[in-house]
């Protein structure tokens, strides 16, 4: 069945030593097939392998011309699966180091050539054939050696004889070693090159990590066994009837093959190869909300293959709606690279299961396998746990954008067979999985005939939609896909309006296609913001099948800094000559898998159980696509500031169909000092018990009283100092708006106003398409991070104790940018308490401010808890506030900010009515908000605040947490803001939406401050 390919075979690596520099250098790898679970004998070779490393391929050839030589020295041992550059990373780094780039190749762009400095490593292990066969080796018709992932090119020998060679790092390659193995001990030697011609197709915005990073297995193929299986499990949405399509590849002695589905009582014989359709009667549909699987057993004469299959029909309706089992589907998705901070891409099923569980706990229902097929267990677990998958091919040539896509392999005939081979290997391995609802050609590989040919190949083999974002004219794909369009542009495309980046015919095609954002909301650093605006668009337009946030987790590599401090490394930390810095830290989770604030916010935005409060009513919505919500009960309570119930109510609601909603009347808006608590409970057959809570706060009820006599600041308080700056987040410093890359002359010939079409700001434009001037750059250019004060003379008639301070940057023209802070401390009728009145006069600027506020310095007890009445416990910003809920919250002081692996501003919270902050002397600062106004109106987010041990300039100067100063024994900084700028996702994507940008000319804030003994956790609020 698997004839050993001998053409060009050699034991001597000096014969054709540079095979890996040719696109067609792979040789001897068997045709691709499905990853099968069966009773055939298998033996994993995972474990410690002998190892030797060379800094170059030429050096390996010179020092060890025959890697199989019995007298060759093997000085090291490394784990397989693994990456050799991650070994000794905390020590002498003897095997080199990781290298991160996003777009640029880490070598000169001269396809298919790679540089002389091409790290190369030999690996060796042994296995005993009897361990595979149990002594029945003669009963095997073939012995295969399977590699599931090797970066980037490898050649393999068994018992000193060449077995094959391959490229395609994230793809499975099998070699027939039947004629090479012998009874007893067998030796496998593998030479791996870090870079190869294949590397030009693997520029995938991740660490370049060479090695054998997935399992290596020896397979025993049985006489009368099955070579390949293709199952299609269709369910008619109208009747519920299922049809199992079965195509078997096997020798004649395997037949007849009996197909058994025990749960359905099916048992049918298949007498030969070719397509057979078996009607199985009514079946339960597989969906991500109810992932019901049926075990299919294929009993051949010499082997039993099992596969858990799900019945569903994936289709596109006549009006361009993506449907599964007859219902529209919306992806609440993430892009997922496989990554572990110490093991790199050598991930196991336990890690993937944990990640899937965490996704579903946060309402994620879809994964794009960016930008390659993941380990096979990821497909099996998606089938089992219920996730929609966009399965992506191992193709990305993004670095060619630097050359205007000249010489891009995607349109070079010399690479056509490589594209088709990679596409076939992706599809064949995972063709039987119910979770796969789209097939993606790859990512950011430009466009060209080879991609179109790959799309045609997929359509000949599969009915699922073909996806590829780079097909901007929708010429050869079935889904219109975009990356990082602005909300305004997204809304226009979803509504079916003309798309000016393509011609009329292209626009017409697009209007009849499902529309997906394969990447949006770049989750780098503090953020992303604007998620709710996109979700509103997805919800409003049926053709819009949702999107995939970039990305699931950070890729920080765990190592140590020169001073021995633990650090999560990013680009440049290993001395790379070119790199893309912290762009690799762009996930909703930290590198070690802990949920970040971005994931908590995303979870609240996409929660299928919707509860939205508006004046006088609540909207309860069902965002599921296939699940009816039952047992709906809405409860509400109008409460005083002391949480005493004024009125309560309960409403039983009718069952809610998928994508349906109820509108429920509520009491009038809460009065001063009151708040309205609302909760909804629901059940669903797959969703299980669910609950969603919301609160609506009335205006503050703080006794103001008449202003008292002038007073000094409390002894424990220093300030206030004006602050209109924040340590730039990655989004503040972001300069990438990918939508601008499409701003060519409209093919329709009209003069498109791209700024009006997208809502982008023309003032940020540069000469490079897609690159903009960052907001942080404007802050720094205007010196907002280094403002200096000058006390102004008193204004005639001002109250005693009023202080006016002008703030400006050194060298700044005061006529252009004067900031004036006026404040007054006064006494109250409470001994020791103070009233603080502040007002701001702000210049008219052509860019938003980071914040409008002040800073107080306090001797905070870092081990104490901060209690507050306001939005929380999560941080919130004007465009990232779905997860925060009004209430009384208590958090450790150290947990209030999360500077991240690359320190930046974080931890803003909104709507504060009361703050209770522990101080070193055992007392607590009690702060209450009296009034917060912005431009003469109530501040939209009330009082916003941040408590941090670091100054903004300290956060800005540190590249890693260990570079921040020691804060022991010094004051903390309490930011009190009347306005705060949103987050956006401009690290790569849309800027802050206009509604969340901070443009103001004046502000006012009044506070009451007092001190009380610390009553400890659980004490009632004063």
């Amino acid at each position: 069945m698997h004839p050993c390919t001998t053409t060009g075979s050699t034991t001597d690596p000096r014969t054709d030593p540079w095979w890996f520099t040719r696109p067609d250098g792979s040789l001897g790898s068997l045709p691709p097939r499905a990853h099968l679970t069966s009773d055939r004998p298998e033996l994993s070779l995972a474990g410690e392998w002998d190892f030797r490393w060379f800094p170059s391929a030429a050096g390996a050839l010179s020092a060890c011309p025959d890697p199989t030589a019995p007298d060759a020295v093997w000085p090291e041992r490394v784990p397989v699966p693994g990456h050799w550059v991650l070994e000794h990373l905390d020590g002498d780094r003897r095997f080199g180091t990781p290298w991160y780039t996003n777009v640029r190749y880490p070598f000169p762009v001269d396809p298919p050539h790679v540089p002389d400095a091409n790290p190369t490593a030999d690996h060796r292990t042994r296995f005993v054939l009897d361990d595979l066969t149990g002594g029945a080796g003669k009963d095997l018709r073939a012995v295969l050696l399977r590699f599931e992932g090797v970066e980037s090119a490898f050649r393999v020998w068994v018992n000193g004889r060449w077995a094959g060679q391959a490229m395609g790092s994230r793809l499975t390659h099998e070699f027939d070693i039947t004629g090479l193995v012998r009874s007893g001990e067998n030796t496998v030697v593998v030479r791996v090159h870090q870079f190869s011609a294949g590397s030009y197709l693997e520029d995938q915005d991740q660490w370049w990590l060479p090695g054998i990073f997935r399992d290596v297995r020896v397979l025993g193929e049985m006489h009368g066994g099955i070579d390949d299986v293709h199952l299609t499990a269709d369910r008619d949405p109208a009747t519920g009837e299922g049809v199992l399509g079965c195509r078997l590849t096997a020798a004649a002695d395997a037949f007849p093959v009996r197909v058994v589905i025990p749960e359905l009582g099916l048992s049918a014989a298949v007498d030969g190869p070719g397509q057979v359709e078996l009607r199985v009667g009514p079946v339960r549909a597989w969906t991500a909300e109810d992932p019901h699987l049926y075990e299919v057993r294929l009993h051949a004469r010499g082997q039993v293959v099992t596969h858990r299959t799900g019945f569903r029909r994936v289709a596109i309706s006549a009006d361009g709606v993506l449907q599964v089992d007859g219902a529209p589907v919306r992806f609440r998705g993430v892009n997922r690279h496989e990554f572990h901070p110490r093991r790199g891409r050598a991930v196991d099923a336990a890690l993937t299961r944990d990640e899937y569980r965490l996704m579903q706990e946060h309402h994620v229902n879809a994964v794009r396998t960016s930008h390659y097929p993941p380990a096979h267990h990821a497909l099996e677990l998606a089938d089992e746990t219920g996730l929609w998958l966009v399965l992506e091919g191992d193709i990305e040539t993004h670095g060619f954008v630097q050359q205007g896509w000249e010489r891009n392999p995607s349109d070079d005939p010399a690479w056509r067979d490589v594209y088709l081979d990679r596409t076939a290997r992706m599809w064949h391995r995972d063709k039987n999985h119910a979770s796969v609802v789209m097939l993606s050609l790859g990512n950011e590989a430009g466009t060209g005939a080879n991609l179109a040919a790959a799309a045609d190949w997929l359509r000949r083999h599969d009915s699922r939609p073909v996806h590829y974002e780079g097909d901007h004219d929708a010429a050869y794909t079935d889904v219109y896909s975009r990356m990082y369009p602005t909300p305004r542009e997204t809304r226009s495309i979803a509504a079916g309006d003309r798309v000016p980046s393509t011609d009329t015919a292209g626009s017409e095609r697009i209007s009849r296609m499902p529309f997906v954002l394969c990447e949006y909301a770049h989750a780098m650093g503090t953020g992303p913001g604007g998620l709710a605006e996109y979700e509103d668009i997805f919800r409003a337009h049926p053709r819009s099948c949702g999107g995939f946030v970039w990305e699931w987790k950070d890729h920080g590599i765990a190592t140590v800094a020169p001073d021995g401090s633990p650090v999560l490394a990013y680009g440049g930390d290993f001395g790379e000559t070119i790199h893309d810095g912290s762009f690799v830290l762009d996930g909703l989770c930290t590198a070690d898998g802990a949920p970040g604030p971005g994931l908590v916010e995303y979870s609240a935005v996409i929660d299928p159980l919707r509860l939205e409060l508006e004046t006088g009513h609540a909207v309860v919505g069902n965002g599921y696509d296939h699940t009816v919500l039952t047992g709906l009960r809405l409860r509400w309570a109008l409460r005083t500031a002391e949480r005493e119930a004024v009125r309560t109510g309960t409403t039983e609601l009718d069952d809610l169909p998928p994508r349906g909603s109820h509108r429920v009347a509520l009491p009038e808006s809460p009065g001063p000092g009151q708040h309205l608590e609302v909760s909804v409970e629901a059940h669903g057959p797959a969703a299980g018990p669910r609950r969603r809570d919301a609160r609506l706060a009335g205006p503050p009820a703080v006794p103001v009283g008449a202003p008292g006599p002038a007073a000094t600041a409390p002894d424990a308080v220093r300030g206030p100092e004006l602050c209109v700056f924040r340590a730039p987040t990655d989004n503040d410093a972001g300069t990438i708006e990918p939508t601008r890359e499409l701003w060519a002359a409209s093919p329709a010939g009209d003069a498109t106003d791209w700024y009006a079409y997208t809502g982008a700001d023309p003032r940020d434009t540069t000469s490079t398409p897609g690159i903009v001037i960052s907001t942080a750059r404007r802050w720094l250019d205007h010196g907002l991070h280094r403002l200096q004060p000058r006390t102004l003379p008193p204004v005639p008639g001002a109250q005693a104790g009023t202080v006016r301070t002008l703030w400006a940057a050194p060298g700044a023209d005061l006529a252009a940018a004067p900031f004036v802070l006026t404040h007054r401390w006064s006494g109250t009728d409470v001994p020791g308490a103070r009233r603080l009145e502040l007002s701001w006069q702000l210049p008219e600027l052509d860019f938003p401010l980071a914040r409008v506020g002040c800073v107080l310095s306090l001797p905070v007890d870092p081990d104490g808890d901060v209690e507050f009445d306001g939005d929380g416990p999560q941080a919130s910003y004007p465009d990232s506030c779905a997860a925060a809920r009004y209430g009384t919250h208590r958090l450790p002081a150290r947990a209030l900010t999360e500077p991240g692996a690359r320190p930046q501003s974080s931890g803003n919270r909104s709507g504060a009515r009361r703050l209770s902050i522990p101080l070193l002397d055992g007392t607590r600062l009690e702060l209450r908000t009296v009034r917060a106004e912005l431009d003469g109106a109530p501040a939209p987010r009330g009082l916003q605040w941040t408590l941090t041990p670091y100054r903004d300039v300290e956060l800005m100067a540190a590249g890693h947490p260990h570079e921040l100063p020691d804060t022991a024994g010094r004051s903390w900084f309490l930011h009190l803001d009347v306005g705060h700028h949103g987050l956006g996702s401009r690290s790569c994507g849309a800027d802050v939406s206009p509604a969340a940008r901070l443009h103001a000319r004046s502000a006012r804030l009044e506070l009451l401050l007092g001190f009380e003994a610390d009553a400890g956790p659980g004490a009632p609020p004063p």
Side-chain angles (χ1 to χ4, degrees):
M1 149 226 154
H2 292 300
C4 182
T5 304
T6 58
T7 304
S9 64
T10 177
T11 299
D12 190 345
R14 290 172 295 187
T15 302
D16 192 19
W18 309 114
W19 66 273
F20 56 89
T21 65
R22 299 193 310 273
D24 61 351
S26 296
L27 193 64
S29 185
L30 295 167
R33 58 177 181 161
H35 188 100
L36 301 177
T37 299
S38 80
D39 61 353
R40 71 183 169 197
E42 296 189 12
L43 179 65
S44 172
L45 301 186
E48 294 288 314
W49 287 37
D50 298 327
F51 182 79
R52 57 183 171 230
W53 178 84
F54 308 93
S56 69
L61 188 63
S62 173
C64 191
D66 180 3
T68 70
D71 58 347
V73 176
W74 295 87
E76 305 281 356
R77 301 272 284 172
V78 298
V80 171
H83 301 279
W84 70 68
V85 293
L86 298 183
E87 298 302 307
H88 303 286
L89 201 57
D90 298 344
D92 60 11
R93 300 179 176 178
R94 67 189 70 166
F95 305 143
T97 54
W99 193 332
Y100 169 64
T101 62
N102 169 28
V103 175
R104 295 173 294 178
Y105 290 100
F107 46 75
V109 180
D110 184 22
H113 305 293
V114 292
D116 292 342
N118 185 7
T120 296
D122 293 338
H123 304 67
R124 183 180 70 178
T125 193
R126 295 180 174 89
F127 71 92
V128 176
L129 191 61
D130 285 354
D131 291 342
L132 174 73
T133 65
K138 293 182 180 179
D139 294 331
L140 298 178
R141 64 187 168 95
V143 178
L144 308 185
L145 183 60
R146 183 172 71 199
F147 292 82
E148 298 180 6
V150 183
E151 185 173 333
S152 74
F154 68 101
R155 201 174 224 178
V156 57
W157 295 263
V158 175
N159 295 326
R161 297 172 62 191
W162 177 88
Q165 59 205 39
M167 291 177 282
S169 297
R170 265 64 72 179
L171 301 166
T172 295
H173 297 273
E174 293 180 333
F175 303 96
D176 190 331
I177 60 172
T178 308
L180 307 181
V181 295
R182 59 194 176 213
S183 178
E185 187 175 77
N186 294 265
T187 301
V188 177
V189 174
V190 186
R191 174 161 284 181
V192 181
H193 304 286
Q194 176 162 3
F195 301 124
S196 67
S199 300
Y200 282 98
L201 306 187
E202 297 170 2
D203 187 23
Q204 293 155 323
D205 184 14
Q206 59 183 347
W207 294 98
W208 299 85
L209 297 175
I212 305 172
F213 64 92
R214 290 183 185 160
D215 200 7
V216 181
R217 300 185 77 83
V218 182
L219 313 179
E221 298 289 2
M222 308 295 292
H223 292 285
I226 296 173
D227 298 334
D228 196 14
V229 176
H230 182 198
L231 298 176
T232 56
D234 180 68
R235 179 182 185 273
D236 186 331
T239 66
E241 297 285 318
V243 176
L244 182 70
C246 183
R247 181 183 295 274
L248 304 179
T249 303
D253 63 352
F255 295 98
V257 175
R258 182 155 294 280
V259 181
V260 178
I261 306 180
E263 186 176 345
L264 298 176
L266 174 75
S267 179
V270 176
D271 295 325
Q275 181 73 15
V276 175
E277 292 192 347
L278 304 173
R279 299 191 175 278
V280 300
V283 291
R284 184 170 159 187
W286 186 98
T287 70
E289 296 164 17
D290 182 17
H292 187 79
L293 295 170
Y294 293 89
E295 184 175 81
V296 180
R297 301 175 188 167
L298 305 170
H299 295 263
R301 287 188 172 179
Q303 182 183 13
V304 178
V305 173
T306 60
H307 180 73
R308 300 170 72 198
T309 195
F311 286 85
R312 81 282 183 273
R313 180 178 297 175
V314 182
I316 297 174
S317 68
D319 52 354
V321 176
L322 178 68
Q323 297 179 335
V324 177
D325 198 48
V329 166
R330 183 163 71 247
F331 299 134
R332 305 186 297 274
V334 294
N335 285 273
R336 177 181 181 261
H337 274 293
E338 293 183 306
F339 185 76
H340 184 277
R342 287 204 172 272
R343 301 195 302 269
R345 288 186 282 278
V347 302
D348 57 22
L351 181 139
T352 301
R353 183 182 290 277
D354 287 344
E355 291 192 354
Y356 283 3
R357 183 185 301 113
L358 188 62
M359 289 178 191
Q360 292 174 319
E361 287 173 356
H362 289 84
H363 311 302
V364 171
N365 73 348
V367 171
R368 177 182 176 223
T369 69
S370 53
H371 294 297
Y372 43 80
H376 69 84
H377 66 250
L379 282 293
E380 296 164 359
L381 290 171
D383 291 348
E384 173 191 324
T385 62
L387 286 168
W388 308 117
L389 292 188
V390 175
L391 178 64
E392 191 144 279
D394 194 16
I395 296 173
E396 180 171 342
T397 65
H398 201 177
F400 285 88
V401 71
Q402 306 281 333
Q403 289 77 37
W405 296 107
E406 291 292 327
R407 304 173 69 195
N408 181 15
S410 295
D411 206 33
D412 184 342
W415 294 79
R416 176 187 173 92
D417 289 346
V418 179
Y419 275 61
L420 294 179
D421 179 72
R422 286 181 177 237
T423 300
R425 290 185 183 279
M426 169 198 74
W427 180 80
H428 272 290
R429 193 198 69 171
D430 299 327
K431 60 196 172 190
N432 297 323
H433 288 283
S435 53
V436 177
V437 292
M438 278 191 198
L439 300 165
S440 180
L441 302 176
N443 182 67
E444 292 177 321
T447 190
N450 296 337
L451 289 163
D456 288 342
W457 189 97
L458 285 173
R459 285 198 195 87
R460 291 196 302 271
H461 291 80
D462 204 298
S463 61
R464 286 170 283 196
V466 175
H467 166 276
Y468 176 61
E469 181 271 340
D471 180 21
H472 298 309
D473 299 321
Y476 49 85
T477 48
D478 305 313
V479 178
Y480 186 60
S481 178
R482 288 290 303 277
M483 291 182 182
Y484 309 108
T486 64
R488 184 181 299 181
E489 186 179 8
T490 302
R491 188 176 291 106
S492 175
I493 297 170
D497 298 339
R498 188 179 70 83
V499 179
S501 58
T502 188
D503 57 21
T504 301
S507 280
E508 291 177 353
R509 287 193 297 271
I510 290 168
S511 69
R512 298 190 298 270
M513 289 179 166
F515 172 42
V516 66
L517 299 189
C518 67
E519 295 178 22
Y520 80 111
H522 199 256
M524 185 175 176
T526 303
L531 289 166
E533 189 170 6
Y534 283 100
E535 187 65 16
D536 288 343
I537 297 169
F538 300 156
R539 194 180 297 144
H541 298 279
R543 277 183 52 248
S544 178
C545 52
F548 298 82
V549 167
W550 186 267
E551 66 177 307
W552 172 241
K553 69 191 295 189
D554 290 348
H555 298 212
I557 290 179
T559 183
V560 294
D563 67 357
S565 302
V567 64
L568 287 171
Y570 52 79
D573 285 341
F574 299 111
E576 304 101 305
T577 53
I578 65 167
H579 60 84
D580 287 291
S582 61
F583 206 72
V584 77
L585 305 177
D586 51 5
L588 295 169
C589 297
T590 62
D592 59 6
L599 180 58
V600 178
E601 175 70 10
Y602 189 41
S603 175
V605 168
I606 63 174
D607 190 335
L609 179 57
R610 289 168 42 221
L611 177 58
E612 298 171 358
L613 302 187
E614 301 174 7
T615 303
H617 66 270
V619 175
V620 179
N622 179 2
Y624 290 104
D625 298 318
H626 297 90
T627 300
V628 176
L629 291 178
T630 62
L632 285 154
R633 179 181 294 109
L634 184 137
R635 305 176 191 271
W636 60 266
L638 184 64
R639 298 186 182 277
T640 65
E642 292 74 28
R643 296 190 52 79
E644 294 179 358
V646 178
R647 281 190 292 159
T648 63
T650 301
T651 304
E652 305 287 339
L653 303 177
D654 293 338
D655 292 352
L656 200 52
R659 300 197 174 198
S661 63
H662 290 313
R663 188 180 178 92
V664 185
L666 292 175
E668 67 277 2
S669 298
Q674 295 180 331
H675 63 270
L676 182 66
E677 297 178 348
V678 182
S679 67
V680 63
E681 300 167 352
H683 290 78
R690 293 295 322 281
R691 178 185 169 114
R692 192 82 189 265
D693 299 289
R695 293 189 182 187
L696 185 65
V702 177
V704 177
T712 59
D715 291 341
V717 178
R718 296 290 180 269
E721 296 181 356
L722 177 139
C723 187
V724 292
F725 178 74
R726 69 185 180 203
T729 68
D730 288 317
N731 292 310
D732 295 335
T735 61
I736 305 174
E737 287 187 7
T739 188
R740 296 183 185 232
E741 296 177 8
L742 300 181
W743 292 11
S746 174
D750 62 342
T752 299
D753 183 343
W754 290 102
Y755 298 107
Y757 176 65
T758 62
D761 192 334
R763 293 169 294 187
D764 296 339
T765 302
T766 70
S767 60
T768 304
I771 302 300
V772 296
I773 300 170
S774 74
T775 302
R777 182 73 269 153
R778 299 199 185 280
W779 296 342
L780 297 173
D781 286 348
H782 283 76
L784 301 188
H785 60 304
R786 47 188 171 88
L787 300 181
Q788 296 179 352
R790 176 168 64 86
T791 302
L792 298 175
V795 174
Q799 289 181 300
T802 300
V803 179
R804 296 175 65 239
T805 311
L806 184 146
W807 295 77
D813 181 356
L814 289 184
F819 296 89
V820 178
L821 172 64
T822 302
H823 77 273
R824 179 176 185 266
W825 290 99
S826 61
T828 72
D829 55 2
V830 178
R834 296 288 190 275
R835 175 191 182 104
L836 177 59
E837 301 170 85
L838 305 108
S839 63
W840 290 259
Q841 294 173 293
L842 308 166
E844 184 173 0
L845 301 170
D846 63 355
F847 59 89
L849 296 172
R851 59 185 3 136
V852 173
C854 69
V855 184
L856 302 178
S857 300
L858 305 171
V860 172
D861 178 1
D863 297 318
D865 290 346
V866 174
E867 188 174 272
F868 59 99
D869 294 344
D871 294 342
Q874 290 80 17
S876 58
Y877 293 80
D879 60 352
S880 179
C881 51
R885 292 286 183 266
Y886 181 82
T888 298
H889 308 284
R890 193 178 187 103
L891 290 172
R894 298 183 192 273
L896 288 171
T897 58
E898 299 183 45
R902 192 198 72 77
Q904 55 198 274
S905 180
S906 66
N908 183 70
R909 286 172 173 80
S910 309
R913 303 292 178 81
R914 179 184 66 93
L915 300 178
S916 178
I917 300 171
L919 303 181
L920 285 172
D921 65 1
T923 65
R924 301 184 70 87
L925 170 65
E926 299 290 335
L927 182 149
R928 291 180 181 269
T929 305
V930 177
R931 180 182 291 110
E933 295 179 353
L934 198 63
D935 284 335
R941 302 290 302 163
L943 173 64
Q944 302 183 63
W945 63 283
T946 307
L947 183 63
T948 171
Y950 303 111
R951 297 179 175 91
D952 283 298
V953 291
E954 293 171 341
L955 290 166
M956 185 172 62
H960 301 84
H962 72 274
E963 296 168 2
L964 290 166
D966 183 1
T967 62
R970 79 174 195 182
S971 293
W972 283 37
F973 306 98
L974 176 62
H975 288 268
L976 300 170
D977 301 326
V978 186
H980 210 96
H981 187 52
L983 297 174
S985 62
R986 211 189 202 182
S987 54
C988 184
D991 196 9
V992 177
S993 64
R997 295 176 191 171
L998 180 57
H999 293 280
R1001 298 300 307 280
S1002 67
R1004 184 180 177 190
L1005 179 64
E1006 295 184 32
L1007 305 166
L1008 295 178
L1009 292 85
F1011 298 88
E1012 297 186 1
D1014 192 342

